[in-house]
Structure formats: C-alpha cells, structure tokens
Amino acid sequence: MGVSSNESLANLLKEERRFAPPAELAAAANVTAEDYKKAAADRMEFWAAKARRLTWDIAPTETLDWSNPPFAKWFADGKLNVAYNCVDRHVEAGHGDRVALHFEGEPGDSRTVTYAELRDEVSRAANALTELGVKAGDRVAIYLPMIPEAVIAMLACARIGAPHSVVFGGFSADALATRIADADARVVITADGGYRRGKPSALKPAVDEALTRPGTEEVRSVLVVRRTGQETAWTEGRDVWWHDVVPRQSEQHTPQAFDAEHPLFILYTSGTTGKPKGILHTTGGYLTQASYTHHAVFDLKPETDVYWCTADIGWVTGHSYIVYGPLSNGATQVLYEGTPDTPHQGRWWEIIQKYRVSILYTAPTAIRTCMKWGDDIPAKFDLSSLRLLGSVGEPINPEAWIWYRKHIGADRTPIVDTWWQTETGAIMISPLPGVTTTKPGSAQNPLPGISATVIDDEGNEVPNGSGGYLVLTEPWPSMLRTIWGDDQRYLDTYWSRFENRYFAGDGAKKDDDGDIWLLGRVDDVMLVSGHNISTTEVESALVSHPKVAEAAVVGASDPTTGQAIAAFVILRGSATEEEGLAEELRAHVAKELGPIAKPKRILPVAELPKTRSGKIMRRLLRDVAENRQLGDVTTLTDSTVMELIQSKLPAAP
Ligand code: 6R9
C-alpha cells in the first residue's frame, strides 16, 4: 500500500521520557562520539579502519567498488578466513582457556566450550565435511537445535568456504525442502531432535521427508548429531552420525584464505508471500560490520562480560550476534536450547543469575510475553550482573521498553533498540550505549558509517516531525549482495522503488530532533478515512494501557472508512476480560493518539500468530478480520494459535 506524501504515516505518538547513558559506562565505552566524526569526515577510511579490526591473510587495498550498483564489492582484493577470525586468533593471542560457550540445554544439562576446544571442534568438523566431499563453494544446509554443534557446523562451513544455509529447526519438511532445493545444497547437517517445551522434538524425520521432494536429489550426505537419543530412521550410504565421523578427525586444520567477496552464507527471509528469498552474504564486508557493530552497540569487554543473545541461529540475529559478531570479538556467551517457560516462567532469569550474564539481547515479543506473565517472576532472581540490554526484531513499544529497563535492568541499564534486517546483515540504526541519550521506542540514529533517512512518495527527505519510508542512502559493508540465483528480484525488491536508494519496506518517522522511529512494515500500514496510520503507534498506545501486555492491529476493509482498525490484545497477568474493557481501551487510544486511531473492534486473545523470530504475522490477522481463508501459515511457530483466535470470532456474516 502506498503512503501519500500529504497524509504520510500519521505521526501521533508522543514520548517524552529520556535516559542519559550511565556515566561509568560512558567513561569506559568501546566507542565514543569520535566514531561519528571520523565516519562523517571520511566514510571509506572509517570502514577501511574497521576492516583492520579483523585478521587478513592479504590486507585489502581497495574499500568499496560501486562501479556496478547496486552490486557492491567491499574489500575485494583482500583475503581472510572467517573461522580463523572467530576462533583461532583468540587462541593464538593466549585466550584459549576463555569460555566461548556456556551451553544450557533445556532439560538442564550444561556444557562449557573454551576457545581452544572450539578451535579443535571446528577443525574436526571441517575435516569431516571435507571427507564427505564438501568443497569450497558447495552449499550446506544446517537444520539443528540450539546446541554447540550448530555454532561448530556454521564455523566449519565458513572454514572451508562452503556457504551455509541455516533453516530454523521449527520449519516444516516443506519449508526445508524448498530451501534445500533453491540453494542446491549437497549436505544437510541435522540432529535426531532437540528439546522443546520439556520434551524431545524430532528433526530428522523432516529431513527424510524433505529429501523425497523434487530438487533435493543432489544431497549426498546427511550428518546427524545425536542430541535426544530418540529412535531415528536411517538411510544407509547417505546418513552418517556426527559422533562416528567428527571425533575421529584430526584437530589440525589449516584455514584457507578466501576472497572478501566469497559467499559466506545464504539465509532465507521469512517471506510473507511468494517464494522465500535467499539473501546472500559474503565474507569480508559482512564480518567487518558484524564485528564492529557488536563491539560498538554492545560495548563488549571480552575479559569480563558474559553476553547472551536469545535468538535462534536460524534467524539472522543468531548468525550475526551469536556466531560471527561475538565470536570475532572473543566473547564469552550463553547458548540456550529451549523455551523461556520450561520448566518454569523464570527460566531465562535463572540462567542470567547462574552465569552472571551482563549483556542481554532479545526481542520485543519476549519482553511483552514476560510482561504478561507478571513482574513478580523476574523479581525472584538476582539480575544485578546485567549492565546493558538490547532489543531487535520489531518496534519496541515504549511501555515494553520501560518495563524491560525497570524489571530486568533495575532502572539502571541502557537499552539499545537495534534496527536492521536479514538483508542488511548487521545493525544499522541504534543508540550507542555510551553516547546516546535514549528515547523509549526509538532506534534513533544510523550507526557511524551508515546513511539512512526517511523520504516521501516522491523520494524527498521528509522534514523533522514527519513520517514516510525508511531508506538507506549509501552502500554498507554487510549489505546483501543479491538474492541467490535471482539478480533481477534483488533489483526489483530493494532498488526499484527509489532511484539509488535501498528501500527497506519499513515506515518510519523523524522526530523533532531528527531521530528515527520505526513504524512497522509499509505493507501493514492502515488507511482509515484517508489517513495512513501506523500499526506500531496504535499498538504502542494499547500497550501503554495497564491492562494490556501485547497488541496487534490490522486494517480490515470497511464500507465507510476504507479500512477500520481491528485490534487483537493480550491482557497482562492480573487483568481479566471484563465488561466495558473494549470501550475503555478504545477511549485510551483516542486519548493517546486521537479519535482517528481508535480501533473499531477489540478482541482479547490468548496468543498472537508469530514467526519463529517473534514477529507478529498481521497478514493472518487481516485474513481473520476480513473473514477470509487463512494464507500461508508455514512459518508460524504454532499453527493452533490461529484456530484459537478464529474460535473467538463471531461466525462469518
Ligand atoms: C534483524 C531482523 C527485518 C524487519 C525490519 C523491521 C523489523 C527489526 C527492528 C524492527 C523496528 C527494530 N525490525 N528490528 N523494527 N525496530 N529495532 O529482525 O531481521 O528478520 O530480516 O526482519 O524486522 O520491520 O524490516 P529480519
């Protein structure tokens, strides 16, 4: 849906709270305001300097080749090995005994992996893949639970130059087959199963089924990690146990240097419609920005911090902020297999207490779920080790931001709201914890070296105080290079809407200070009586009501107003669905945003449909609100959610 310039995305929400960086953090911050100045003075030299944070076999002499836009080459004459940068170099620098991974299994088993052990494991796995015939350039599909082997497998692929394609462990055989076929993968790395919600959940059967589908014939080996010990069907000659082939390999493996533009991975975006897009990332530029942003935004002090990103590795957040960013910086981190409420709703907080986690990176969906469960749950645990909190994946409603800071961060820790995408590879817009005075609900400023702005339909930059489309105006090192096998789709999807600018698909506004507020996907924008209204603003207004933990709004076609707002709300722990609640919430939204934004219908629900990375699938809610047959539900975490929601609605008229 278009956003007309005269009525661009309503800019209704007012949020006046401000939080200055803690003095102590600011004084010792990894990155200061100096980086903004350096990047503004010479963007190319700025990124060249950040590339020098990595160890190159051949140092690049050229920074950006933009002679064939939008097909970028960064550091093209340099060579490096990503796994060497993430593992070996820390061991060589004398940090072999430092813990890389504190693994916590859902059933309570745990395992510690030091950097020296990680180097040995990655080397053995690299040798095993080579024995299975994997060569540089061959694609490897990874379909694993959140266990150390997932990290090891990704690094082993990187080490031998075999691009990986990680597929969420929760995706169906169909989704897996499509991804294997599109990437033409030769090997699949999987497990018998993983633990989820207190029981073993099988993975291997989905691989077996996927490999019966057309387009997957080239898969010659399936490498299977034993995690749950459940009974597993076996195809002789194709299937091999990880424990049979990996441990017997030599722990010596010489990493080969690859061109900076060698493909590192393909990751399919949780596309809402159509064929999933295989987003291609390459080596040098990707690692430069993943590494620098992790260092800058999370202020990681590798000697003392314990970092935990709760994402699944099947999401880009797991790639950049569990594997490549943190490990390139020598971080000690927690890796947790399971769900936040198994065996109890305090499991995450218990893990933070156990490992003394100091930096936590999670998604608004998780924060809102914890709000729903109640403040008393985190209050039972010692969270005093935390010094920095991050958010990613969706706009964070100001009230959820405040709750996060107060109940998890003891009203003390800065929050970094990080905007980025699978396509951007790394964080693009975010506060810097030692520099930025934060505003709840805003990602605020492009990072040093990044150029972003908000424009209107005609492509003109909007003035402060107005809304429009978020665009990126200069190429960046970790940008996608193309859509795997489909350059034309790359051009059409991202570079054709506005000339020479990358269109992110998100609505945004600039406040009076010029800071950026994300307003949700442009496709979700609602058009009510000629006004474009952002889903994010209405949802944030609903969440600012003390009885609401989470909300999703959609525009459903309406004979009088074009679209009318339908709101699905999840109530907070103690609130009940009493008479008059809908009227109360409608009045609250009218007071916060104005009468135009008042939802026509309000439906309390127990759950909302979400993707595996926690994004609300408004498209499905729109189907419900318009009494249509549901569209594609294959990327939903839990498909029963939709049945529950539909059962709450009056039958179709
Ligand atoms: C990293 C990731 C990308 C889309 C993006 C936007 C939304 C992510 C956000 C945010 C507002 C933030 N998004 N972070 N919206 N504030 N801090 O999520 O990648 O799964 O590809 O999704 O997520 O809509 O365009 P991906």
Side-chain angles (χ1 to χ4, degrees), residues 56 58 60 62-63 73-82 257-264 281-288 477 481:
W56 296 76
I58 297 177
E62 108 190 10
T63 303
K73 290 185 182 148
W74 283 85
F75 313 116
D77 62 345
K79 283 181 189 283
L80 75 169
N81 186 285
V82 167
F258 292 101
D259 287 348
E261 285 297 339
H262 186 81
L264 179 64
H281 283 289
T282 59
T283 299
Y286 170 79
L287 193 64
T288 295
R481 296 305 193 257

Side-chain angles (χ1 to χ4, degrees), residues 269-270 315-317 361 364 391-396 416-424 429 441 443 470 504-507 517-521 536 611 613 615:
T269 50
S270 40
W315 183 20
V316 70
T317 306
Y361 191 29
S391 172
V392 59
E394 286 183 298
I396 177 164
V416 286
D417 174 10
T418 62
W419 179 88
W420 58 295
Q421 307 178 298
T422 306
E423 293 87 341
T424 70
I429 306 177
L470 180 71
D506 284 336
W517 296 68
L518 276 304
L519 296 179
R521 299 295 294 170
T536 302
T611 65
S613 63
K615 292 187 215 300

